[in-house]
């Protein structure tokens, strides 16, 4: 079987998986969890924003709430926002952006639930920092260590290998297109030399780097998009009309290369899912490491991360592309991925932006690779890996970073979609079963807020609002320090 045959097979599996299973499950789960939490993403949106202001403190030597948010943001805000959105609007037309918004708005509830569960069922690690995530809430919430191990193994492969390859693949494309004399393997070597020292330093070093790197890059990118929007404000109404018309298939002129409303829906859902990761079970691995006073607080903060990723950053990319007059044309796939976004910026702001965009994409890829390491390392620990195993995984991740720079784009994206899709199916089933725990924690949080407490604290033992007791040694009633 040659590479073309493998590519066709992977794409067929990928299309079937997203068309008939994951897209429907993702949307239905998001709607169900939105109803179960009475629209927590809308009712508590102000609380999400306010929670960020005090989230840098209170870690007591561990990983702060803001650092966990930044690690999640670092992994979310990357090539999915730059290349993924570009792929979506090429294949699905402008309407794909609308379905990305829908996925994000309902996905905020899904992200809230999974991140709150990561906090409820977290454990204390050997270095006194916390470890949490789907593997932990599968073991401690459902009582299944076996399925916890299955999830951990899938997460290590999907996040620590395939997602990393997607990121570095797109980076190599941009770099070699900008500097034709460069080869993909040269980009890979440079990235490995930069990444290895950080990931081999452990999760705390990753958190410290991500704490300032990810928010600054996301803000810089959005500000650049705001400038472009202001320069093209007269065309903004037409662009939003094309998004809405394309989303519901009202005009074939706004279809993508695949054509039709189904193409807009599927590409929007697929790329939106890859970008904001709501429901995939990846972000909870970062959420569970935070030291907070109440699980709901971290759930709200990570839910806000979905809003930042898709409603702000992905929309910024979509508008950058759709506001062009020459670079993007519906039905034309001569440019795709990160190169399309880069050329859109050049059309708007001039050729001088070529290298700043290369630097921005490079930093976003680098920060995402660090976030992927943090996610996967939690699962390495779950499987019993000590410091040596963490270092071996760090080497594996840097090898994947190099491998992504020398493979073809369709193969890398298909592998990543399939691996993340399997992860998502397992996680969505689990969080729906464990939703009563989140409802109890949310009622506990809201009751304390109603009593005038600005910083509710959580007790996980003997709490009548919960279905049972949580892990011994965590959320104990007689140890305030352990509540954080």
């Amino acid at each position: 079987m040659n590479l073309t045959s493998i590519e066709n097979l992977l794409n067929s599996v990928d299309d079937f998986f997203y068309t008939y299973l994951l897209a429907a499950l993702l949307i239905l789960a998001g709607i169900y969890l939105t109803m179960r939490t009475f629209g927590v993403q809308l009712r508590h949106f102000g609380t999400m924003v306010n929670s960020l202001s005090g989230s840098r403190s209170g870690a007591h030597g561990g990983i702060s709430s803001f650092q966990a948010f930044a690690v999640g943001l670092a992994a979310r805000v990357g090539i999915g926002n730059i290349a993924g959105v570009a792929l979506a609007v090429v294949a699905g037309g402008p309407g794909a952006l609308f379905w990305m918004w829908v996925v994000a708005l309902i996905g905020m509830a899904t992200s809230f639930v999974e991140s709150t569960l990561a906090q409820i069922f977290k454990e204390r690690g050997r270095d006194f920092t916390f470890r949490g995530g789907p593997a932990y809430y599968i073991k401690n919430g459902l009582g299944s260590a076996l399925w916890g191990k299955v999830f951990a193994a899938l997460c290590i492969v999907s996040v620590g290998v395939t997602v990393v390859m997607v990121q570095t693949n797109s980076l190599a494309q941009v770099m070699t297109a900008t500097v034709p004399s460069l080869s993909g393997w040269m980009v890979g070597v440079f990235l490995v030399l930069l990444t290895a020292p950080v990931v081999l330093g452990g999760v705390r070093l990753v958190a410290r780097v991500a704490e300032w790197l990810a928010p600054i890059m996301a803000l810089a990118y959005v500000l650049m998009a705001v400038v472009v929007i202001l320069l093209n404000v007269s065309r903004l109404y037409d662009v939003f009309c094309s998004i809405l018309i394309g989303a519901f298939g009202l005009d074939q002129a706004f279809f993508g290369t695949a054509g039709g409303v189904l193409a807009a829906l599927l590409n929007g859902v697929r790329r939106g899912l890859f970008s904001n990761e709501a429901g995939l079970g990846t972000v909870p691995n970062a959420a569970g490491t935070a030291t907070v006073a109440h699980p709901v607080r971290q759930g709200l903060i990570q839910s806000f991360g979905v809003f930042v990723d898709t409603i702000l950053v992905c929309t910024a990319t979509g508008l950058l592309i759709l506001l062009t007059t020459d670079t993007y044309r519906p039905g034309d796939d001569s440019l795709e991925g990160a190169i399309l976004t880069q050329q859109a910026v050049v059309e708007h702001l001039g050729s001088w932006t070529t290298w700043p965009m290369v630097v921005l994409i490079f930093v976003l890829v680098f920060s995402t690779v660090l976030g992927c390491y943090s996610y996967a390392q939690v699962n390495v620990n779950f499987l019993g890996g000590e410091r040596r195993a963490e270092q071996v995984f760090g080497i594996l991740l840097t090898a994947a970073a190099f491998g992504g720079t020398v493979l073809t784009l369709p193969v890398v994206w298909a592998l990543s979609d399939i691996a993340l899709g399997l992860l998502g199916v397992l996680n969505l089933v689990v969080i729906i079963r464990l939703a009563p725990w989140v409802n109890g924690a949310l009622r506990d949080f809201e009751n304390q807020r109603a009593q005038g407490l600005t910083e509710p604290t959580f007790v996980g033992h003997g709490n009548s609002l919960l279905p049972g007791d949580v892990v011994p040694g965590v959320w104990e009633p007689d140890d305030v320090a352990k509540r954080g």
Side-chain angles (χ1 to χ4, degrees):
M1 182 178 289
N2 57 33
L3 185 60
T4 301
S5 299
I6 294 174
E7 181 180 318
N8 291 336
L9 175 62
L10 288 173
N11 285 330
S12 297
V13 173
D14 187 15
D15 290 338
F16 177 85
F17 193 53
Y18 276 84
T19 302
Y20 298 105
L21 182 60
L22 188 58
L25 184 58
L26 173 75
I27 293 173
L28 290 174
I31 293 172
Y32 172 76
L33 294 172
T34 296
M35 296 172 62
R36 281 295 301 263
T37 59
F38 299 100
V40 64
Q41 68 270 50
L42 302 176
R43 294 189 298 112
H44 282 289
F45 187 81
T47 310
M48 296 178 191
V49 178
N50 292 334
S51 295
L52 281 177
S53 62
S55 61
R56 293 176 64 91
S57 59
H60 307 294
I63 293 173
S64 73
S65 179
F66 184 82
Q67 285 178 324
F69 167 77
V71 169
L73 189 65
R76 280 180 169 133
V77 179
I79 287 301
N81 303 86
I82 293 178
V85 176
L87 287 168
V89 297
V90 167
L97 193 59
F98 174 85
W99 295 111
M100 293 182 78
W101 296 337
V102 172
V103 167
L105 290 175
I106 63 174
M108 288 176 71
T110 310
S111 184
F112 167 78
V113 170
E114 63 182 357
S115 295
T116 301
L117 285 171
Q119 277 289 321
I120 292 173
F121 293 110
K122 67 185 180 182
E123 298 178 6
R124 199 178 290 275
R126 66 181 185 276
D127 59 354
F128 300 104
T129 61
F130 290 109
R131 295 289 183 270
Y136 290 87
Y137 56 69
I138 290 171
K139 183 186 79 169
N140 298 326
L142 292 183
S144 177
L146 175 61
W147 278 106
K149 291 178 180 178
V150 170
F151 183 93
L154 277 174
C155 189
I156 291 169
V157 172
S158 61
V159 177
V161 177
T162 62
V163 173
V164 169
M165 292 170 69
V166 164
Q167 301 293 321
T168 59
N169 180 274
S170 295
L171 174 64
Q173 279 200 321
V174 171
M175 294 289 290
T176 53
T178 305
V179 185
S181 59
L182 280 180
S183 298
W185 68 267
M186 297 178 184
V187 179
V189 169
F190 180 71
L191 192 60
V192 165
L193 292 175
L194 190 62
T195 302
V198 181
V199 299
L200 294 177
V203 69
R204 289 193 186 189
L205 180 57
V206 169
R208 286 198 295 271
V209 173
E211 181 178 19
W212 60 268
L213 189 63
I216 289 175
M217 286 300 101
L219 180 61
Y221 186 65
V222 171
L223 288 176
M224 179 182 64
V226 169
V227 171
V228 171
I229 291 170
L230 291 175
L231 293 173
N232 296 272
V233 68
S234 62
R235 298 188 56 238
L236 204 56
Y237 174 78
D238 292 336
V239 167
F240 276 103
C241 285
S242 71
I243 292 171
L244 294 175
I245 292 170
F248 298 100
L250 302 178
D251 189 336
Q252 293 186 4
F254 295 114
F255 289 170
T257 55
V261 64
L262 185 61
L265 172 62
L266 293 179
N267 282 281
V269 170
R270 183 182 305 185
R271 298 278 72 90
L273 172 62
F274 181 87
S275 179
N276 64 51
E277 304 180 37
L280 293 183
T282 53
V283 173
N285 293 289
T289 65
T291 303
V292 292
H294 202 290
V296 166
R297 184 73 71 182
Q298 192 63 27
L300 292 172
I301 288 175
Q302 296 296 358
S303 179
F304 184 69
V306 176
F307 179 86
V308 172
D309 173 88
T310 305
I311 306 301
L312 296 184
V313 184
C314 285
T315 299
T317 298
L319 294 179
L320 280 173
I321 294 170
L322 298 177
L323 283 168
T324 61
T325 55
D326 297 321
T327 303
Y328 169 76
R329 295 185 181 88
D332 180 6
D333 60 353
S334 58
L335 289 176
E336 62 178 3
I339 296 175
L340 173 59
T341 305
Q342 182 190 35
Q343 292 304 308
V345 174
V346 169
E347 179 182 326
H348 288 301
L349 302 178
S351 59
W352 68 269
T353 61
T354 299
W355 275 105
M357 275 299 294
V358 169
V359 172
L360 177 68
I361 292 170
F362 181 87
V363 174
L364 288 176
V365 168
F366 178 61
S367 65
T368 301
V369 170
L370 297 186
C372 289
Y373 169 79
S374 180
Y375 291 173
Q377 190 240 29
V378 168
N379 291 279
V380 170
N381 293 148
F382 180 85
L383 293 175
E386 297 297 328
R387 182 60 180 159
R388 187 179 298 276
E390 294 173 10
Q391 291 175 336
V392 170
F393 170 69
I395 294 171
L396 173 64
L397 180 138
T398 54
F402 176 82
T405 61
V406 296
L407 292 176
T408 62
L409 182 65
V411 168
V412 172
W413 276 99
L415 283 172
S416 182
D417 278 347
I418 293 168
L420 283 175
L422 292 172
L423 206 64
V425 169
L426 177 56
N427 182 63
L428 288 170
V429 171
V430 170
I431 65 175
I432 288 173
R433 289 190 59 185
L434 293 177
W437 286 87
V438 177
N439 285 342
L442 181 57
R443 286 197 300 272
D444 180 72
F445 180 84
E446 291 175 338
N447 288 346
Q448 293 186 54
R449 295 261 296 182
Q451 294 169 10
L453 295 176
T454 57
E455 189 57 55
T457 56
F458 183 69
V459 175
H461 302 266
N463 190 326
S464 62
L465 296 174
L466 300 177
D469 289 342
V470 301
V471 179
V474 180
W475 305 118
E476 297 283 359
D478 57 346
D479 191 344
V480 176
K482 288 183 180 179
R483 296 181 196 178

